[in-house]
Amino acid sequence: MVTKVLLTLLVIVVAYIYLRRRVNASQSKPRSVTVTPKAGDAPIRMIAVLFLLISFSLTVGFFVYRWIDGNQLLRITLTSPQSPEPVYYQVHKSELQERSFTTTDGQIIRIGTQDRLVIESIPD
């Protein structure tokens, strides 16, 4: 996920450097006629800026959502055939793996094939 963000930032930086060089090359040539910006450039720039702002805000929103969702507290009930009564744990959602989880106390619990797991959301 981080590589996607870094790749996107790299593309933006390369495009920025390319456009800067292009502008500097066009400005270094001596011209006797002053060039006014085209009327058609303004909407294209506006659309590009809006696209960048929307994509940036959606990316930030996605990361915030993932962080909030990953910090959701869950109650896990682990019932094992070897023990007569179930064991209860509190786990953050991001710490829950396929065959193991890390509790809020820092314990790493590995789940056996015979164990039964019940996951419940703890209301805020």
Side-chain angles (χ1 to χ4, degrees):
M1 183 54 99
V2 174
T3 56
K4 291 180 183 178
V5 173
L6 291 176
L7 183 64
T8 303
L9 289 175
L10 178 67
V11 168
I12 291 171
V13 168
V14 167
Y16 178 77
I17 291 171
Y18 172 75
L19 290 175
R20 278 288 163 201
R21 284 188 180 177
R22 188 172 151 190
V23 167
N24 287 340
S26 67
Q27 287 178 353
S28 66
K29 295 178 183 176
R31 293 188 175 184
S32 60
V33 178
T34 57
V35 178
T36 59
K38 295 179 186 176
D41 287 348
I44 293 174
R45 285 186 183 183
M46 181 74 79
I47 290 170
V49 168
L50 284 175
F51 178 73
L52 287 174
L53 289 175
I54 289 171
S55 63
F56 180 73
S57 62
L58 287 175
T59 302
V60 169
F62 175 74
F63 281 116
V64 168
Y65 170 76
R66 290 281 303 244
W67 182 76
I68 290 172
D69 190 50
N71 284 331
Q72 181 182 2
L73 203 56
L74 302 173
R75 179 180 180 191
I76 295 184
T77 307
L78 185 64
T79 307
S80 178
Q82 289 84 17
S83 65
E85 52 189 59
V87 182
Y88 300 99
Y89 298 102
Q90 284 189 352
V91 177
H92 290 286
K93 191 174 181 180
S94 62
E95 298 294 329
L96 189 59
Q97 304 297 321
E98 187 174 333
R99 285 302 209 180
S100 66
F101 56 88
T102 305
T103 65
T104 55
D105 299 334
Q107 290 180 315
I108 298 174
I109 309 296
R110 301 201 191 290
I111 304 167
T113 57
Q114 299 285 322
D115 295 337
R116 190 174 130 231
L117 197 67
V118 178
I119 302 172
E120 302 172 70
S121 176
I122 296 176
D124 293 331

